[in-house]
Amino acid sequence: MNKDLNTVPFVSVENMMRLVLENGVEQCIEKLAKYIEEDFRRWPLFDKTPRVASHSKEGVIELMPTSDGIDYGFKYVNGHPANMKRGLQTVTAFGLLSSVDTGYPVLLTEMTVLTALRTAATSAVATKYLAPKGAKTLALFGNGAQAEFQALALKHICGIENVRLYDIDPAATEKCARNLENSGLNIVKCKSGEEAVEGAEIITTCTADKQYATILTDNMVGNGIHINGIGGDCPGKTELHKDILLRSDIFVEYTPQTRIEGDIQQLNPEHPVTELWEVMSGAKKGRISDRQITLFDGVGFAIEDFSALRWLRDEIQGSDKYIDLDMIADPDDPRDLFGMVMREKDRMTNE
């Protein structure tokens, strides 16, 4: 990678897709999951704050910053559920990684595809620690843009063999089934949520509507189930019936953020939860019994994006998967920025 501090490596959507296709979706998720686990185990080192969100009736625009004292990263991301009706993505993102030492950016990248990979990787990491041993069947509620990544992540990292698909839009289920038909997974298209949970040891909900919703009702969740609730990710948006939460042991990323955005916004602010990093570091227990219901109330946190940016920075080293952008002014004298501009004026005049 170019060591010139005045240019910034930029990974475009095209180059991100090339990287993913050359390495394989599952392999990229596996590598990214290792970075997430590494960063979660050093969780106390990071700056942590709930994402900075600007809400409107149309959706939300957010900044997600963090630093480990060596690198600083942030992601810009939106969530606009109505975009789909316009033929637009409901979620788009870009991100930046900088050196704390100089403040100079060292990576700029698209993060729409990268966020899909990191979200799936995070679900798989949580599932690895919390799901019942030997789980083979996933019920996947919400078959939109995130669904295939979730299925492949749980297959590759957690050993899932069967995926039962359900979406209120049958076309989404057909799309997802078609995309996964050569994945090695046994795919079952279901006509109801009740049908989808039959025989499932793991349930993942990843729906997009920005509203209080009940995607899972209490009678659909039996003892011993692990749930990844990843669609409820902003104030006023939920997927799980409150009674499910009251029966579950709940695991979250960063408690102050999840209390605002996750399904636990339905509960008393004092309701006990465990942060996932505590389980991964061995400080607290995850699954402790076969009858326990575990819930990962995942809303997405900045450290996961930081991990994704670190992985990508390392992954593109020595590759052709980026271009250098001229983003940093480089005057001969750092104090003479005006003079640099005037010299460029002279150069343009003389051309």
Side-chain angles (χ1 to χ4, degrees):
M1 196 154 54
N2 192 340
K3 299 301 182 182
D4 182 356
L5 293 179
N6 301 305
T7 61
V8 180
F10 169 63
V11 180
S12 65
V13 174
E14 178 183 4
N15 276 327
M16 181 67 73
M17 292 190 294
R18 288 176 59 217
L19 186 152
V20 171
L21 291 172
E22 289 183 17
N23 286 274
V25 174
E26 295 172 44
Q27 288 70 28
C28 287
I29 290 173
E30 180 182 26
K31 291 178 183 178
L32 214 166
K34 291 178 180 177
Y35 278 72
I36 290 171
E37 287 202 52
E38 180 181 315
D39 286 341
F40 270 51
R41 289 196 180 101
R42 59 195 190 104
W43 188 270
L45 296 177
F46 283 88
D47 293 338
K48 292 174 285 290
T49 184
R51 66 182 113 214
V52 181
S54 175
H55 293 279
S56 68
K57 61 183 178 61
E58 290 83 10
V60 63
I61 296 173
E62 302 166 335
L63 290 178
M64 301 173 66
T66 191
S67 173
D68 66 351
I70 300 170
D71 295 305
Y72 170 91
F74 76 82
K75 182 173 78 174
Y76 167 102
V77 61
N78 77 299
H80 284 67
N83 274 3
M84 187 170 57
K85 296 177 182 177
R86 308 176 193 173
L88 303 175
Q89 291 287 303
T90 59
V91 177
T92 65
F94 67 88
L96 184 140
L97 192 68
S98 294
S99 166
V100 169
D101 183 46
T102 63
Y104 275 38
V106 298
L107 175 69
L108 176 65
T109 180
E110 82 81 39
M111 286 194 76
T112 306
V113 175
L114 187 55
T115 295
L117 293 170
R118 78 87 161 128
T119 303
T122 303
S123 293
V125 168
T127 301
K128 183 173 77 169
Y129 281 90
L130 301 175
K133 293 187 182 302
K136 298 297 181 186
T137 301
L138 165 69
L140 187 53
F141 286 69
N143 302 156
Q146 178 61 209
E148 295 89 346
F149 296 95
Q150 290 285 323
L152 292 174
L154 267 64
K155 167 182 175 281
H156 192 70
I157 294 175
C158 304
I160 291 302
E161 297 176 356
N162 311 299
V163 179
R164 302 178 66 81
L165 301 174
Y166 175 66
D167 195 294
I168 58 173
D169 180 3
T173 299
E174 291 293 338
K175 177 271 305 179
C176 188
R178 184 171 60 252
N179 286 341
L180 292 173
E181 63 184 358
N182 296 316
S183 65
L185 289 164
N186 176 36
I187 304 298
V188 179
K189 296 177 286 186
C190 301
K191 295 181 179 179
S192 68
E194 288 78 8
E195 181 185 353
V197 299
E198 291 178 8
E201 300 103 338
I202 299 168
I203 301 171
T204 295
T205 57
C206 50
T207 59
D209 282 347
K210 187 181 178 182
Q211 62 180 337
Y212 290 112
T214 304
I215 308 303
L216 278 184
T217 56
D218 188 40
N219 66 312
M220 295 165 67
V221 179
N223 291 330
I225 295 292
H226 170 65
I227 304 168
N228 294 310
I230 63 169
D233 57 2
C234 67
K237 181 182 177 187
T238 63
E239 297 180 306
L240 311 181
H241 192 282
K242 181 178 178 179
D243 288 347
I244 298 174
L245 307 180
L246 296 174
R247 294 169 56 208
S248 302
D249 288 323
I250 302 171
F251 300 84
V252 302
E253 293 134 319
Y254 181 55
T255 305
Q257 179 173 300
T258 310
R259 295 240 188 244
I260 297 168
E261 300 177 349
D263 269 275
I264 62 171
Q265 66 188 271
Q266 303 176 70
L267 301 179
N268 185 300
E270 303 304 316
H271 189 91
V273 299
T274 300
E275 293 191 343
L276 187 59
W277 74 270
E278 297 176 291
V279 178
M280 295 169 62
S281 67
K284 292 189 178 179
K285 299 289 186 181
R287 176 166 289 274
I288 57 176
S289 77
D290 292 339
R291 294 181 59 78
Q292 179 187 18
I293 300 172
T294 53
L295 165 62
F296 172 53
D297 191 1
V299 299
F301 188 60
I303 292 175
E304 296 151 24
D305 299 307
F306 182 91
S307 303
L309 290 167
R310 282 206 310 118
W311 166 72
L312 184 60
R313 177 186 58 187
D314 293 347
E315 192 70 24
I316 64 174
Q317 295 282 346
S319 79
D320 62 351
K321 302 300 187 298
Y322 67 94
I323 61 172
D324 286 316
L325 296 182
D326 181 18
M327 283 183 61
I328 306 298
D330 184 30
D332 297 331
D333 179 350
R335 299 167 299 179
D336 192 15
L337 187 62
F338 183 83
M340 182 190 74
V341 174
M342 291 301 101
R343 285 189 291 276
E344 178 64 11
K345 176 184 177 183
D346 292 341
R347 186 191 67 78
M348 294 172 63
T349 301
N350 294 327
E351 281 186 351

